[in-house]
Amino acid sequence: MSKSKRVELPVLEPEENAVPCCPPITAGELSVRDAERMAVMFKALSDPVRLRLFSRVASHPGGEACVCDIQDVGVSQPTVSHHLKKLREAGLLTSDRRGTWVYYRVAPSVVAAMSAMLDLRTTT
Amino acid sequence: MSKSKRVELPVLEPEENAVPCCPPITAGELSVRDAERMAVMFKALSDPVRLRLFSRVASHPGGEACVCDIQDVGVSQPTVSHHLKKLREAGLLTSDRRGTWVYYRVAPSVVAAMSAMLDLRTTT
């Protein structure tokens, strides 16, 4: 490392760190590593309540939803929090605490990567 | 039941029975029923080995693969069979036994429905 003057580097948002994965499923076999990454994302959507919460965030006006807007899905508030945490950990949602509430948004590049991977039109 | 002459009805392929589901995730909240259906499909892709087998079928020349072509994924043959059964039960693969081997194909309308549901471009 040189001792030259420090350069300010842009702060990357989590969204930008997530390298979109993967090629379309018809293009070739998924690598072990890519399969492990994608399986985590699909697992996040493998629960009906989680899927409903995800659709509530995605379809909320402005693309952002407060927990208070979406928690009425027939399960307890701690269960809602648990599901939202799983979606966040899988990279499908981003969150932002403002005052009392946490606001959620869909992470577009991650969801687009899942969609593109299953898009059979691209190579068939 | 009347005793009138029998009428031959067309045999539906499993693919035709599967009503594609659902609207894009950004279009509105998923119904409980649609969420339950889609969760089964996403669950089928939530395992890395299953995902690799699925990509091997999807990318195989001619869009069809014999178990013998794809089973080399580092797990036992019964485990491969178990995973392929899960993919078939979820509607993502169709199968056809010919002689000694079972051949698998991707069910395009089901996979396209999953892709379309996650396609954020359609309404944003």
Side-chain angles (χ1 to χ4, degrees), chain A residues 2-102:
Chain A
S2 80
K3 298 218 170 186
S4 60
K5 202 176 77 175
R6 283 194 197 171
V7 177
E8 286 281 331
L9 291 173
V11 177
L12 292 177
E13 294 299 310
E15 177 65 10
E16 293 176 68
N17 283 326
V19 179
C21 161
C22 304
I25 201 93
T26 46
E29 186 191 342
L30 274 181
S31 69
V32 172
R33 196 176 157 217
D34 283 350
E36 281 169 356
R37 292 175 60 193
M38 292 307 290
V40 171
M41 298 178 200
F42 286 118
K43 195 178 180 91
L45 296 183
S46 70
D47 178 279
V49 173
R50 217 137 64 209
L51 211 38
R52 283 170 60 213
L53 285 169
F54 183 65
S55 75
R56 282 188 170 200
V57 173
S59 63
H60 207 261
E64 183 179 72
C66 164
V67 179
C68 54
D69 294 323
I70 57 172
Q71 65 189 355
D72 173 27
V73 284
V75 297
S76 70
Q77 204 276 322
T79 304
V80 168
S81 295
H82 165 79
H83 284 314
L84 289 170
K85 189 180 169 203
K86 289 276 178 193
L87 287 164
R88 210 183 59 222
E89 285 173 350
L92 273 66
L93 292 182
T94 58
S95 66
D96 180 26
R97 177 176 286 278
R98 295 204 293 275
T100 314
W101 295 105
V102 180

Side-chain angles (χ1 to χ4, degrees), chain A residues 26 28-30 55-56 59 115, chain B residues 26 28-30 55-56 59 115:
Chain A
T26 46
E29 186 191 342
L30 274 181
S55 75
R56 282 188 170 200
S59 63
S115 176
Chain B
T26 46
E29 186 191 343
L30 274 181
S55 76
R56 283 188 169 201
S59 63
S115 176

Side-chain angles (χ1 to χ4, degrees), chain B residues 18-80:
Chain B
V19 179
C21 160
C22 305
I25 201 93
T26 46
E29 186 191 343
L30 274 181
S31 69
V32 172
R33 195 174 157 219
D34 284 349
E36 281 168 358
R37 292 175 60 193
M38 293 306 290
V40 171
M41 300 178 199
F42 286 117
K43 195 177 180 95
L45 297 183
S46 70
D47 178 278
V49 173
R50 216 138 64 210
L51 210 40
R52 281 170 61 213
L53 286 168
F54 183 65
S55 76
R56 283 188 169 201
V57 173
S59 63
H60 208 261
E64 184 179 71
C66 163
V67 179
C68 55
D69 294 324
I70 57 170
Q71 64 189 356
D72 174 27
V73 284
V75 298
S76 70
Q77 204 277 319
T79 303
V80 168

Side-chain angles (χ1 to χ4, degrees), chain B residues 59-104:
Chain B
S59 63
H60 208 261
E64 184 179 71
C66 163
V67 179
C68 55
D69 294 324
I70 57 170
Q71 64 189 356
D72 174 27
V73 284
V75 298
S76 70
Q77 204 277 319
T79 303
V80 168
S81 295
H82 165 81
H83 283 315
L84 289 170
K85 189 179 170 206
K86 289 275 177 193
L87 287 164
R88 211 183 59 224
E89 285 174 350
L92 272 66
L93 293 182
T94 58
S95 66
D96 181 25
R97 176 176 285 279
R98 294 203 294 276
T100 313
W101 296 105
V102 180
Y103 291 79
Y104 290 89

